[in-house]
Amino acid sequence: MAARLNTSLQNTLSLFSKKLPSSPRRALYCTSTLESHDNAETFVLTTPLYYVNAPPHMGSAYTTIAADSIARFQRLLGKKVIFITGTDEHGEKIATSAAANGRNPSEHCDLISQSYRTLWKELDIAYDKFVRTTDPKHEAIVKEFYDRVFANGDIYRADYEGLYCVNCEEYKDEKELLENNCCPVHQMPCVARKEDNYFFALSKYQKPLEEVLSQNPRFVQPSYRLNEVQTWIKSGLRDFSISRALVDWGIPVPNDDKQTIYVWFDALLGYISALTEDNEQQNLDTAVSLGWPASLHLIGKDILRFHAVYWPAMLMSAGLNLPKMVFGHGFLTKDGMKMGKSLGNTLEPFELVQKFGPDAVRYFFIREVEFGNDGDYSEDRFIKIVNAHLANTIGNLLNRTLGLLKKNCESTLVVDSTIAAEGVPLKDTVEKLVEKARTNYESLSLSTACEAVLEIGNAGNSYMDQRAPWMLFKQGGVSAEAAAKDLVIILEVMRIIAVALSPIAPCLSLKIYSQLGFSVDQFNSITWDDTKWGELKEGQVMAQASPVFVRIELDAAEKDEEEKKPKDSKKKGKAKVKAEQQPQTIAEA
């Protein structure tokens, strides 16, 4: 087992140790983050702090892509966004995984934590804070929080005997286990353990938690996750262990150095310790004053109980405000099957982004997975979606419009886009779809927001086909003048698409904006107000047309072979994509 784990780890880590292109991609901000936000509303959102027992997988990448899309949209609204992510680095599984790979826990944590940072860079994730639970500032916050809860009378010492899931790092009730005492999450048998631990009096907060959910039903979303949480609470809350006597790799309990603080009572505090700076005095009140409570915790549904039951009770005990919302999304499957190394069908995010690029990966998972529900990946579906939407609907519309403008108008706009659109129904259609996109971004219906932006592209393509400006140019005179106006209208549609799609596909949006004659600085300072019609002006010169998204094609030889085979015997060809041209300059996070 150790050999297999070591091989898997090395294979994954080798992917991010490869040399990056000469013009490395940087995480893009879609609006200026350097300006003063003194009077702006603060929006704090978090991903889970990812457990470093193994390198990042597609599930953690999916959560972070979604969080980044939400953060970018909130920045477009002018809010002061604090986007927190990081790594959870203590616990039994970490020490075991480190030993299996021939490292000490500290070396292992450094290596895996860096792999997360590398992947986030490759995926254009523009986080504001990256916290590690091995950071000294984090340990200071955890100890102060523990002392505050202890002083409130909510921590006590007791013996505990029960069935323990090593992967969950949690004792399980027998009634929730599967056959042979298997954990329902990890499908592995739980082991019998008896320990002398410290416990948090969760049962004391049964009624307060029920009141929170009753008075604020949006605290847990989607609504069906709220139902799950209410069911857990109504079934009766049991006190839970917050320390381990047999685990050395962790933060020592303040009043007992023979025990270490249990991973959840440690890791959840990362959402608060992340708010501090390394050179600041490390105390709980300072951290809280810098942005707590969080506006949104984004998590996978497997850790909902810890965030929607344990965490709010802990915060109540310490006298701190609760986060405004906990959103639990679903799981990813591949070709309709649960992913697992034993099945040989894992989806490696490093390989995916290197093969198809960040825009394609980000767009597919946001567009195809209804946020909150489970979602499925298949390479065939992936290629069809990104080719149809990004290469065809969006990329091809821009390319052919700029081509016509160069041929007939020397790449120069003949009139303001506001004047060009007078009396044209397309403008009203676009404005309604922009509002639809905004509404869905705000409600975290990310897939529907994506659909609304794509509908703008479809409307632009329909207008192009109906007006047929290439024919009008041939007729000359008034017809040619009308055709020139049509091109301005379509390019204004493309500009609005670039703004509205920038939370999801920032690199693609920058390429579009650059080809419309705008600078990188102008792109980095856009706000949602820039989705209003009328930014393109008479005399503005467009850039040379160049594909903003290159179609993914099957290898030519394999494609020919596939076409010769009977339909029911065809196998999927090997996908490949030409390297996307990088923008000349990209703003650094």
Side-chain angles (χ1 to χ4, degrees):
M1 175 60 133
R4 288 201 302 273
L5 180 60
N6 187 54
T7 302
S8 173
L9 181 63
Q10 294 301 331
N11 289 343
T12 303
L13 295 179
S14 69
L15 288 169
F16 72 82
S17 63
K18 291 179 181 177
K19 213 169 187 180
L20 294 173
S22 57
S23 297
R25 192 166 51 245
R26 303 281 182 168
L28 295 170
Y29 282 119
C30 298
T31 186
S32 175
T33 57
L34 301 178
E35 297 173 1
S36 172
H37 285 97
D38 290 345
N39 300 317
E41 177 185 346
T42 300
F43 187 91
V44 178
L45 80 158
T46 71
T47 70
L49 302 190
Y50 299 111
Y51 211 42
V52 297
N53 61 311
H57 52 74
M58 197 58 230
S60 48
Y62 171 63
T63 310
T64 312
I65 290 168
D68 186 65
S69 299
I70 294 165
R72 289 174 182 275
F73 171 71
Q74 293 294 332
R75 292 189 191 108
L76 287 177
L77 296 182
K79 295 181 184 179
K80 176 187 176 182
V81 173
I82 305 176
F83 171 18
I84 295 170
T85 188
T87 44
D88 174 8
E89 304 183 10
H90 289 135
E92 182 177 359
K93 276 198 296 185
I94 305 299
T96 301
S97 184
N101 287 281
R103 302 184 184 90
N104 66 48
S106 180
E107 292 170 338
H108 176 86
C109 290
D110 288 345
L111 188 67
I112 303 298
S113 184
Q114 183 56 46
S115 76
Y116 277 93
R117 288 177 183 263
T118 301
L119 180 59
W120 297 167
K121 180 179 177 181
E122 288 291 283
L123 283 168
D124 289 329
I125 304 297
Y127 57 83
D128 298 287
K129 303 281 188 178
F130 190 101
V131 65
R132 299 178 60 184
T133 60
T134 50
D135 290 340
K137 69 173 187 177
H138 174 76
E139 181 172 341
I141 296 295
V142 170
K143 287 183 174 180
E144 185 179 350
F145 185 90
Y146 180 98
D147 287 341
R148 189 178 290 194
V149 175
F150 185 85
N152 197 44
D154 290 336
I155 294 176
Y156 62 91
R157 189 168 183 169
D159 288 333
Y160 189 82
E161 185 172 3
L163 293 169
Y164 185 79
C165 175
V166 175
N167 288 310
C168 288
E169 301 213 58
E170 179 189 30
Y171 283 99
K172 297 288 187 179
D173 289 334
E174 288 190 41
K175 62 184 179 183
E176 67 179 300
L177 298 177
L178 305 177
E179 190 177 353
N180 297 322
N181 291 328
C182 284
C183 168
V185 177
H186 296 98
Q187 310 290 312
M188 298 289 288
C190 295
V191 295
R193 277 194 182 180
K194 182 177 181 180
E195 283 188 16
D196 172 22
N197 295 145
Y198 290 91
F199 284 75
F200 173 70
L202 180 64
S203 56
K204 176 179 171 181
Y205 292 90
Q206 171 110 16
K207 269 199 176 310
L209 285 170
E210 288 175 349
E211 289 172 3
V212 166
L213 298 182
S214 174
Q215 294 169 8
N216 180 18
R218 289 190 57 77
F219 177 67
V220 178
Q221 290 295 306
S223 57
Y224 45 86
R225 303 272 181 247
L226 172 63
N227 296 336
E228 292 176 38
V229 173
Q230 288 175 321
T231 299
W232 291 333
I233 294 174
K234 285 177 182 176
S235 66
L237 296 179
R238 296 174 57 185
D239 299 350
F240 67 92
S241 170
I242 61 169
S243 73
R244 293 291 179 267
L246 305 176
V247 179
D248 294 329
W249 183 244
I251 298 173
V253 170
N255 57 332
D256 186 347
D257 60 9
K258 294 181 180 179
Q259 301 223 17
T260 53
I261 294 175
Y262 165 61
V263 62
W264 287 106
F265 210 85
D266 165 3
L268 290 165
L269 268 298
Y271 301 139
I272 295 178
S273 67
L275 294 167
T276 64
E277 299 295 341
D278 292 337
N279 57 355
E280 291 176 345
Q281 182 180 353
Q282 309 307 326
N283 67 69
L284 196 53
D285 289 337
T286 299
V288 167
S289 71
L290 294 172
W292 191 259
S295 307
L296 176 65
H297 285 324
L298 281 188
I299 59 168
K301 63 182 181 181
D302 55 325
I303 53 174
L304 181 63
R305 186 194 303 258
F306 303 108
H307 287 78
V309 180
Y310 291 15
W311 181 223
M314 290 160 54
L315 290 166
M316 288 180 195
S317 177
L320 300 180
N321 290 327
L322 307 192
K324 295 174 184 176
M325 181 185 291
V326 176
F327 190 103
H329 67 73
F331 292 153
L332 297 179
T333 57
K334 184 179 180 185
D335 298 317
M337 298 175 64
K338 184 177 178 180
M339 287 185 276
K341 286 186 172 62
S342 61
L343 296 174
N345 69 338
T346 56
L347 187 60
E348 298 295 343
F350 282 106
E351 293 178 359
L352 204 61
V353 74
Q354 289 187 355
K355 187 175 184 180
F356 298 120
D359 289 320
V361 175
R362 291 172 64 107
Y363 182 86
F364 176 82
F365 285 101
I366 295 298
R367 170 62 180 80
E368 283 301 288
V369 181
E370 185 177 345
F371 199 45
N373 292 343
D374 293 347
D376 186 64
Y377 170 89
S378 74
E379 185 169 280
D380 182 58
R381 178 73 177 160
F382 181 98
I383 293 171
K384 285 179 180 177
I385 288 293
V386 298
N387 277 348
H389 297 183
L390 303 185
N392 294 354
T393 299
I394 294 174
N396 191 45
L397 179 60
L398 176 65
N399 209 49
R400 59 180 179 154
T401 307
L402 288 176
L404 285 169
L405 190 74
K406 179 182 180 182
K407 181 178 179 181
N408 298 282
C409 307
E410 298 182 344
S411 296
T412 304
L413 304 186
V414 301
V415 67
D416 288 359
S417 55
T418 303
I419 296 172
E422 288 177 355
V424 177
L426 176 61
K427 176 176 176 288
D428 293 334
T429 299
V430 170
E431 288 173 344
K432 289 175 183 176
L433 290 170
V434 164
E435 184 56 32
K436 179 181 176 182
R438 174 175 178 150
T439 300
N440 283 286
Y441 273 129
E442 289 177 330
S443 66
L444 305 186
S445 299
L446 302 181
S447 177
T448 309
C450 237
E451 287 177 16
V453 179
L454 189 69
E455 285 181 60
I456 298 173
N458 289 333
N461 276 286
S462 295
Y463 184 82
M464 169 74 94
D465 294 340
Q466 290 165 7
R467 295 290 298 166
W470 56 92
M471 297 294 293
L472 296 176
F473 277 122
K474 290 180 181 178
Q475 295 172 20
V478 176
S479 296
E481 290 176 8
K485 286 184 179 180
D486 289 335
L487 298 187
V488 174
I489 290 169
I490 296 167
L491 291 173
E492 179 70 4
V493 169
M494 291 305 310
R495 188 195 64 78
I496 291 170
I497 288 173
V499 178
L501 194 63
S502 63
I504 295 163
C507 193
L508 174 66
S509 295
L510 173 57
K511 291 176 184 179
I512 295 171
Y513 231 63
S514 298
Q515 290 195 25
L516 296 177
F518 294 99
S519 68
V520 175
D521 287 342
Q522 286 173 306
F523 176 77
N524 285 337
S525 64
I526 60 174
T527 70
W528 190 259
D529 284 344
D530 289 302
T531 56
K532 293 177 181 176
W533 192 281
E535 286 296 311
L536 293 184
K537 305 298 182 183
E538 178 183 351
Q540 196 165 335
V541 179
M542 303 291 101
Q544 177 72 31
S546 175
V548 292
F549 189 90
V550 182
R551 281 182 58 82
I552 301 168
E553 301 287 358
L554 291 174
D555 180 272
E558 290 190 15
K559 191 173 181 181
D560 289 342
E561 283 298 314
E562 290 299 309
E563 291 303 319
K564 295 175 184 177
K565 294 178 181 178
K567 188 174 182 180
D568 59 355
S569 67
K570 288 182 182 179
K571 295 180 180 178
K572 292 176 184 175
K574 192 175 186 180
K576 70 175 185 179
V577 63
K578 298 176 184 176
E580 294 182 28
Q581 294 182 347
Q582 296 299 320
Q584 295 174 340
T585 311
I586 297 179
E588 230 177 281

